[in-house]
C-alpha cells in the first residue's frame, strides 16, 4: 500500500529506498548547477520527505491531475 501511494517514508529503510533517495539527490544537485528555468521533467511515484525534494516539485499528478490534459487530446477518430 505504501508503494502505491508513493510515500517513501512509509516503506521500511532498505536498499531500494536508499538508492531512490540517492538518485533524486544527484538529480537535484545537477539541476541546481544548470541555467535558471531549465526544465527537467521526472515522472516517478516517489514522494521523498526531504525539504529539498518537496521544494523542487512543481506538479504532483495524482487524484485526477494529469501531465497531459484531456482537453489536449484529439478525440476525433482517424481514418
Amino acid at each position: 500500500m505504501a508503494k502505491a501511494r508513493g510515500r517513501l517514508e512509509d516503506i521500511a529503510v532498505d536498499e531500494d529506498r536508499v538508492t531512490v533517495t540517492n538518485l533524486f539527490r544527484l538529480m537535484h544537485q545537477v539541476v541546481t548547477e544548470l541555467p535558471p528555468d531549465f526544465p527537467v521533467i521526472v515522472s516517478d511515484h516517489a514522494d521523498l520527505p526531504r525539504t529539498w525534494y518537496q521544494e523542487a516539485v512543481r506538479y504532483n499528478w495524482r487524484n485526477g491531475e494529469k501531465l497531459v490534459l484531456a482537453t489536449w487530446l484529439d478525440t476525433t477518430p482517424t481514418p
Side-chain angles (χ1 to χ4, degrees):
M1 181 62 92
K3 286 183 181 180
R5 287 194 314 262
R7 297 184 54 79
L8 198 59
E9 68 270 17
D10 292 344
I11 302 171
V13 174
D14 62 18
E15 197 171 302
D16 289 340
R17 180 178 176 165
V18 170
T19 301
V20 167
T21 301
N22 289 339
L23 175 63
F24 277 96
R25 184 177 293 124
L26 174 62
M27 285 189 284
H28 183 266
Q29 289 170 347
V30 170
V31 167
T32 59
E33 295 175 9
L34 295 173
D37 300 323
F38 186 88
V40 175
I41 297 174
V42 177
S43 178
D44 199 306
H45 292 283
D47 187 14
L48 304 180
R50 306 279 193 271
T51 301
W52 56 264
Y53 179 89
Q54 294 298 320
E55 288 175 350
V57 173
R58 296 295 177 259
Y59 301 98
N60 193 347
W61 295 302
R62 290 190 169 92
N63 301 322
E65 288 191 61
K66 297 177 173 70
L67 172 62
V68 177
L69 301 174
T71 56
W72 292 0
L73 302 176
D74 181 6
T75 57
T76 307
T78 56

